[in-house]
Amino acid sequence: MTADDNDNGHSVRRDAASAARGIAQGSEAMDFISSVVAGLVLGLALDWWLDTRPVIVIIGIVLGFVAGFYKLWNASAVLEEQAQRRRRG
């Protein structure tokens, strides 16, 4: 058993890399959710201030979804690039 192995014989480095990927994916999901929530909150605030209920809140939610999907698209491109680098060696 090497220093990089744990009691089950699994590589500690491989386990740590898997945990890091899981945390990164959770972070990407939180980016998406935070974009939608930010659009909602800003829309609610502007609707209250301008008395235009519910027009701006709907626009804010849609823009939040667009921003969230854009962030996910960019994150998936980065992950795909990393996967291609690993395949090349």
Side-chain angles (χ1 to χ4, degrees), residues 7-81:
D7 292 337
N8 298 329
H10 293 105
S11 168
V12 173
R13 289 183 183 168
R14 185 179 56 210
D15 291 346
S18 294
R21 280 191 300 271
I23 291 169
Q25 289 172 349
S27 172
E28 292 160 5
M30 287 305 296
D31 279 347
F32 179 81
I33 292 168
S34 64
S35 296
V36 175
V37 170
L40 172 70
V41 169
L42 288 173
L44 286 170
L46 286 172
D47 271 340
W48 175 80
W49 185 50
L50 299 172
D51 198 26
T52 56
R53 289 176 190 93
V55 175
I56 299 176
V57 74
I58 293 170
I59 293 169
I61 291 171
V62 169
L63 290 177
F65 271 102
V66 169
F69 278 116
Y70 180 74
K71 287 179 182 182
L72 287 176
W73 183 272
N74 284 338
S76 69
V78 169
L79 290 175
E80 181 62 32
E81 183 179 315

